[in-house]
Amino acid sequence: MQFRTRAIHVGQEHDPATGAVVKPIHLASTFVQPDSSMTAAYDYARTGNPTRHAFEKTLANLDGGTRALAFASGMAATHCATMLLTPGDEIVTGTDIYGGTWRLFNRVLTERGIVVTAVDTSDTAAVARTVGPRTKLLWVESPGNPLLSITDIAACAEIAHRAGALLACDATLTTPALSRPLQLGADIVMHSATKSIGGHSDLLGGALVVGDADLGTRLHWLQNATGAVMGPLEAFLCSRGLKTLELRVLAQSATALRLAEWLVSQPAVRKVHYPGLPSHPAHALAMRQMATGGTIVSFEAAGTVADARRVVESTRLFQLAVSLGAVESLIEIPAAMSHGSYAPEARRAVGIADGLIRLSVGLEAFEDLRDDLAAALSRA
Ligand SMILES: *Cc1c(COP(=O)(O)O)cnc(C)c1O
């Protein structure tokens, strides 16, 4: 079956008790046991809940995995994956990554004995030089955030596996609708379901998806032991989000490409980052790994940082907010907002200019979004 058919039917069978075509939301925290052996399918909702399982089953299928685990947030999912490591182990991570991931790795895990080494993962040779015998986890994000760098996932999988490490891929920006890292050799796929999977800016959630059953069992053990599971209401909304995921992401990507092309032609714009543009340094690789260039565009406006701030503060349809991937378009300044948790020197070393502007392109009409940006750029 095709992706969008599976998104609607796998794990989402009708409710046999009532015939309801939409699965009920199971709020129960505990489940009656037929006997004291605790072998029933469900016992306590931290360990498992039918509404969460329905979402996990659909997502695992869409990502080409065998198991998905749903978490209270993307950061909870990322944190759970890092709990596979013990003090002295090393994470090699990209430089162009989500600000919260940077903070977890460099401010929380390093204080607990994990060694964190950052490398530009879009440079495969540099990754190969950096991954070593103590590396247990290679963590990549492709496209990167907010510069939309592209990392060769298949090459990174080979490098990680040669060193006996796992490759984890934060696939929040692509979602299984655009890219399936497990099929490229990744061991763990992480999603912030808060973004495109939920898709409507009305929930927090995260997920890990794996192909290897033993790894799935270990991660589920850690998830249950530490407790940051997704609630049933969020799981219901995520299942609903998956049903329209492909349609939304394809439509948003098409608008993002048109906006990127339009931005390139604007004298008030100095530089545009979008993997769907042939001028992107890794356009060919991006198009091999992704069905489209994605829904995020970033650009540097000509002029000062103050001018860039005026641009983001004067759009009307693009709302000034962090987050991404939802039906409504958002605009922000990564250096001050989504990536404010980076150390300023790290931000500059990576090339995140203070005046860089990031767009999350929603489902509004291209013409309206273009006119909104044109008006804001002319006001700056
Ligand atoms: C938002 C985001 C996260 C973190 O997810 P939360 O749901 O906010 O905890 C991780 N990675 C990327 C790329 C994100 O955009």
Side-chain angles (χ1 to χ4, degrees), residues 73-75 98 141 145 170 172-173 190 192 194-195 205 324:
S73 69
M75 289 319 304
Y98 178 69
E141 196 175 314
N145 185 1
D170 179 340
T172 300
L173 265 62
M190 176 269 164
S192 168
T194 311
K195 313 296 166 55
L324 52 90

Side-chain angles (χ1 to χ4, degrees), residues 126-304:
V127 177
R129 282 196 302 275
T130 308
V131 169
R134 66 178 177 175
T135 309
K136 289 292 171 335
L137 185 65
L138 173 57
W139 185 275
V140 304
E141 196 175 314
S142 185
N145 185 1
L147 294 169
L148 291 316
S149 61
I150 299 293
T151 291
D152 187 334
I153 296 169
C156 283
E158 251 189 75
I159 294 166
H161 295 160
R162 224 183 297 136
L166 296 173
L167 174 66
C169 188
D170 179 340
T172 300
L173 265 62
T174 47
T175 83
L178 299 187
S179 184
R180 287 175 285 281
L182 294 178
Q183 291 168 358
L184 298 169
D187 301 285
I188 301 174
V189 167
M190 176 269 164
H191 297 290
S192 168
T194 311
K195 313 296 166 55
S196 299
I197 290 176
H200 296 74
S201 302
D202 53 8
L203 65 90
L204 266 184
L208 296 177
V209 190
V210 298
D212 181 74
D214 290 341
L215 181 57
T217 304
R218 277 163 75 203
L219 288 168
H220 178 253
W221 188 90
L222 287 166
Q223 181 192 40
N224 183 50
T226 54
V229 297
M230 178 180 281
L233 293 169
E234 285 78 8
F236 170 83
L237 288 170
C238 284
S239 286
R240 179 154 84 173
L242 285 181
K243 294 177 190 180
T244 56
L245 178 71
E246 187 180 41
L247 285 178
R248 284 186 284 111
V249 169
L250 292 181
Q252 290 170 234
S253 300
T255 308
L257 174 60
R258 291 180 73 188
L259 284 173
E261 288 167 345
W262 176 81
L263 282 166
V264 167
S265 73
Q266 295 306 297
V269 172
R270 196 181 304 145
K271 188 162 187 190
V272 180
H273 305 271
Y274 185 66
L277 289 176
S279 57
H280 187 284
H283 174 67
L285 171 62
M287 294 299 99
R288 281 204 303 279
Q289 280 184 181
M290 301 162 66
T292 71
T295 64
I296 309 300
V297 180
S298 62
F299 68 97
E300 283 172 44
T304 64

